[in-house]
Amino acid sequence: MRFIKACFNEEQIMPIWLMRQAGRYLPEYMQVRNLAGDFLSLCKDYKKASEVTIQPITRFDFDAAIIFSDILVVPNEMGLSLEFQAGEGPVFNDVITDINDVNKLDLNAANKLTYVYDAIKLTRDTLAKDKALIGFCGAPWTLATYMIEAKGSKTYTKSKKMLYQNPELMHSLLERISIVLCEYLQKQIDAGANAIQIFDSWASALEPSAYLEFSWAYIEKIAKSLKQKNPSIPIIAFPKGVGGFIECLNTAYIDVLGIDWSTPLQLAFKKDCVLQGNLEPCRLYSKQAIKDGVLAIKNALKEQNKAHIFNLGHGILPDIPIENVHYLIEQVRNA
Ligand code: CP3
């Protein structure tokens, strides 16, 4: 698999996949989602989840598929009731405020996520052998922010208030989430996932010292435990928005570091792991912007003698024209 070879820097190649590649910009996705009823029902229907996982590979021939699910199914199965409201995004009806709430979170949650493992098994059986299947989870910090705030936040005030007023409570929460995630990711690997990505979408909310203690330390712990048992499965970490202190991250247990568009590639090259991403997602609105952006990444890589996993700096947006995705792939592969 080209994707796996690139993760381990075995060949200086540039495979491509896109975060959120299965999603609303694809009419075939909308069709299956409408049949499923709503987003969460789609995640829990393993046959439909597998179908939409494969859709972007069929249409675009990407080098990797990412299993269709959501990072929030984990806190949902730990006991917090979750709704995806149209136009509103995810909302939890229960939140974490004290140690009693933390202690109530179900440590057995990984055993309840069978629909994810079933979707992985079916997808691995259906996908072409040369395409990698990526399993994933949210980082403990990013999941904790949703569990404390109830929904996405601009300021993360409740989460940070807990972090500074009661760091022990925050650590208990992160520890409990991490225990479940280790088991969850191992089960994804056992079901057939060829690589794992840990999404830390709200990494940028924290100052560097807090980030290292309350987020990266847990990502490292999870990655270390997976690496010991599964050395041939690459681990990708995506700490979004940490460009300013990327050098402080210990990447000993990580094979690939995902980088958003605010991080200069030259700064990220100081890390010795393979990099993924960096193209500003809004460049996909313009062919000229795509051409220039891909060329800039290719030029930066020329002096590096290193594989690169082509991706955006965050997920693809729902109103991106499909022909521009074809154009992007053409620029990456043939230009
Ligand atoms: O193709 C893929 O990348 C796989 C599927 C995937 C989804 N969510 C499907 C989804 C993955 C890997 C995720 C991860 C995820 N979910 C993250 C981390 C990555 C990131 O984007 O930062 C986060 C923070 C979430 C939580 C989440 N789920 C939000 C904030 C939203 C609403 C925002 C939006 O785009 O509407 C979701 C919903 C969601 N997850 C959708 C999809 C395709 C849209 C739901 C729909 O179909 O209406």
Side-chain angles (χ1 to χ4, degrees), residues 79-118:
L80 302 187
S81 150
L82 173 65
E83 273 176 68
F84 282 84
Q85 293 157 353
E88 280 245 12
V91 180
F92 282 105
N93 298 313
D94 314 298
V95 288
I96 303 295
T97 54
D98 59 26
I99 192 69
N100 292 325
D101 298 332
V102 173
N103 289 337
K104 272 192 275 176
L105 290 170
D106 191 352
L107 279 173
N108 190 42
N111 287 322
K112 300 198 281 183
L113 287 148
T114 47
Y115 46 90
V116 177
Y117 318 133
D118 289 343

Side-chain angles (χ1 to χ4, degrees), residues 17-24 29-30 33 39 42-43 52 56 66-72 84 86-90 136-138 142 146 152 199-202 238 240 314-316 318:
W17 71 282
L18 304 182
M19 290 187 273
R20 288 279 174 96
Q21 64 189 14
R24 287 164 294 183
Y29 166 82
M30 288 314 292
R33 199 193 73 179
F39 174 71
L42 175 54
C43 292
V52 297
I66 181 161
I67 194 64
F68 189 84
S69 184
D70 198 86
I71 61 168
L72 300 180
F84 282 84
E88 280 245 12
F136 72 89
C137 71
T142 287
Y146 280 100
F199 287 91
D200 205 356
S201 304
W202 312 138
F238 177 46
K240 184 171 177 287
H314 202 190
I316 185 168

Side-chain angles (χ1 to χ4, degrees), residues 283-292 323-324 327 331:
R283 280 191 179 266
L284 262 65
Y285 287 118
S286 147
K287 285 195 177 147
Q288 188 61 48
I290 293 172
K291 193 181 171 84
D292 296 345
E323 69 164 290
N324 288 9
Y327 184 77
Q331 291 300 306

